[in-house]
Amino acid sequence: MIHRLLARCLLGGLCLLAGPAPAQSAPPAAWLLQPAAVFDGQALHPGWAVLVEGSRIKAVGPAAQLSAPAGAQVLPLPGLTLLPGLIEGHSHLLLHPYNETSWDDQVLRESQALRVARATEHARRTLQAGFTTARDLGTEGADYADVGLKQAIEQGIIPGPRLLIATRALVATGCYGPKLSPEVAVPQGAQEVSGVDEIIRAVREQVGRGADVVKVYADYRLSAGGPAVPTFSQDELSVLVATARGLGRPVVAHASTPEGMRRATLAGVETIEHGDQGTAEVFRLMKQRGVALCPTVAAGDAILQYRGWRKGQDAEPERISQKKASVAAAHKAGVSLVVGGDVGVFPHGDNVRELELLVREYGLTPLEVLRGATSGNARLLHLPDRGQVQPGLLADLVAVPGDPTQDVGALRRVQWVMKGGVVIKGLRD
């Protein structure tokens, strides 16, 4: 007891000697941002400025028409284009590249504590790269760790993008992995279900524990290296979507086969992830039903390189040729594209790789992918408070050099990031 009292007295004396803690300066109540141009989510406007008050955009327009209110910080951004914070449409913050550690070993051998520690750094890198929102589609064996990760970001404990999370995701019993010998039961990378009763229970459980979106694997490989096959019946998928919809949650479907895509579309999912083998017929159906495609071209590209494909030297793999044909067919059918790379397969912070590939190898224009990664993703993911530079929307803003509507590579050179009116990355960082 005496030792405790002495320690307290000593600590108190040191505090008195040190004096009061210096007061931290409050962030400006308003910012007047003066870039060379503003991309508002649809078009480029040279000579525009943006006024931010608190966490929201107050005004946008020609710089001569905007003035800084008292106490505002005026920030010139010469040579830079200001645009909405980018939105990552398909990520896995609890995964890291498979050429570092295989997916099986991440699920089976890495502790959840280690995976969360990695994910904390992944979230920081994502935000620093200018992606202020991310749809994270499954923890891949880390249970509900994304719920805590999202809460830590929201509470300001760690830096990261605003998250939409899918928690565990749903797979048909026996259809996912990891797979060892038939006699060995191992933890799976998603929640296994069979039949409508289990599906209803699992959807309710995941939503109840924090899922913003429900993810289902509508098809998958039954064995390593084998072809993907549909794994849920039409009735099962329809019940799954109806249950989620009744709870106010959209459903997204991992699907690469035409039949898996068809069943998921008829069930009423909102997006198809991957769509590797998509046909003109199934894309016409998706267009009719208002179902979007998230093609995730960067993931397959990375995996094939991990397996030995020397890009630029070897012949183009059939998987890449097939993916290009699928994206072209979707584009021709008028299917909306969610821009998302399945990042986690490749490094977090390198999210722009998806946008670059879509422009340089899949025939989209820089303007198309820029709209897609901002206002397009905001619309398709039901995020009306972001994705554009407009009064009243969240002040999630990014500045890059040059003109990203003409040069997609500009998005890789993020100079400045603001999230909710707070500067995350300054010009000297």
Side-chain angles (χ1 to χ4, degrees):
M1 184 67 174
I2 293 174
H3 290 301
R4 291 179 185 173
L5 288 172
L6 287 171
R8 289 176 182 172
C9 290
L10 179 59
L11 179 61
L14 289 172
C15 290
L16 288 171
L17 288 171
Q24 294 185 348
S25 58
W31 292 85
L32 181 60
L33 308 174
Q34 299 174 325
V38 172
F39 174 74
D40 65 2
Q42 288 294 322
L44 188 74
H45 303 280
W48 274 24
V50 176
L51 178 63
V52 171
E53 287 191 2
S55 63
R56 301 272 171 169
I57 297 168
K58 178 68 173 179
V60 183
Q65 297 179 11
L66 296 185
S67 58
Q73 174 75 49
V74 178
L75 181 62
L77 296 168
L80 302 182
T81 295
L82 194 69
L83 58 142
L86 300 169
I87 300 173
E88 171 59 63
H90 189 136
S91 66
H92 295 278
L93 288 170
L94 286 139
L95 290 177
H96 60 106
Y98 301 169
N99 63 336
E100 298 175 357
T101 305
S102 71
W103 182 86
D104 279 11
D105 281 350
Q106 290 185 51
V107 175
L108 294 176
R109 296 177 180 273
E110 293 186 348
S111 70
Q112 189 167 130
L114 174 61
R115 296 185 68 185
V116 170
R118 285 187 188 276
T120 300
E121 173 61 12
H122 297 161
R124 186 194 67 81
R125 292 181 187 175
T126 301
L127 184 58
Q128 288 282 313
F131 288 79
T132 55
T133 296
R135 186 175 63 153
D136 203 66
L137 293 183
T139 61
E140 304 292 339
D143 293 324
Y144 293 95
D146 55 350
V147 176
L149 190 69
K150 177 181 177 179
Q151 291 171 339
I153 292 170
E154 290 178 342
Q155 294 174 28
I157 299 169
I158 62 171
R162 305 175 193 275
L163 293 181
L164 298 174
I165 58 172
T167 68
R168 298 176 66 188
L170 297 169
V171 293
T173 301
C175 295
Y176 204 45
K179 290 182 183 292
L180 300 181
S181 68
E183 296 83 10
V184 179
V186 297
Q188 295 292 286
Q191 185 171 359
E192 292 186 300
V193 289
S194 289
V196 296
D197 290 342
E198 288 186 11
I199 287 170
I200 291 170
R201 180 182 181 86
V203 169
R204 289 172 176 168
E205 178 183 326
Q206 291 191 12
V207 172
R209 294 200 182 191
D212 300 305
V213 57
V214 175
K215 180 182 180 182
V216 60
Y217 285 77
D219 55 30
Y220 208 73
R221 302 178 300 275
L222 298 181
S223 61
V229 297
T231 52
F232 284 102
S233 70
Q234 186 66 66
D235 287 343
E236 287 175 320
L237 287 173
S238 296
V239 166
L240 189 155
V241 172
T243 304
R245 187 174 290 160
L247 297 172
R249 298 295 187 272
V251 177
V252 307
H254 167 114
S256 61
T257 65
E259 180 60 17
M261 295 169 69
R262 187 187 72 84
R263 292 183 192 180
T265 298
L266 291 175
V269 305
E270 294 204 354
T271 67
I272 299 287
E273 308 301 307
H274 314 304
D276 293 9
Q277 302 169 32
T279 63
E281 180 182 10
V282 77
F283 286 128
R284 282 195 296 269
L285 179 64
M286 288 173 61
K287 173 64 175 177
Q288 292 169 4
R289 298 291 182 113
V291 178
L293 172 70
C294 185
T296 65
V297 300
D301 188 273
I303 288 171
L304 288 168
Q305 291 188 67
Y306 298 157
R307 293 174 180 173
W309 174 40
R310 296 173 301 174
K311 188 170 182 177
Q313 301 178 50
D314 298 338
E316 183 174 271
E318 181 182 356
R319 178 173 172 179
I320 297 295
S321 300
Q322 188 176 56
K323 176 72 93 170
K324 288 181 177 179
S326 174
V327 173
H331 202 246
K332 183 177 180 180
V335 172
S336 297
L337 293 185
V338 173
V339 178
D342 208 355
V343 61
V345 174
F346 57 97
H348 296 276
D350 192 22
N351 306 63
V352 170
R353 184 187 296 196
E354 177 77 8
L355 284 70
E356 291 175 329
L357 284 173
L358 286 171
V359 171
R360 295 170 183 172
E361 300 183 22
Y362 285 79
L364 277 70
T365 68
L367 181 58
E368 285 177 316
V369 298
L370 188 56
R371 287 173 174 168
T374 54
S375 59
N377 275 1
R379 174 177 57 84
L380 294 169
L381 305 185
H382 308 293
L383 301 170
D385 60 353
R386 68 200 77 169
Q388 299 185 72
V389 183
Q390 288 187 1
L393 301 192
L394 287 169
D396 291 357
L397 300 164
V398 173
V400 300
D403 181 359
T405 69
Q406 300 296 318
D407 174 20
V408 68
L411 298 174
R412 187 171 286 281
R413 302 187 295 275
V414 171
Q415 302 295 303
W416 184 87
V417 179
M418 171 180 276
K419 178 187 169 191
V422 176
V423 175
I424 303 298
K425 180 177 183 177
L427 293 176
R428 296 180 182 177
D429 292 352

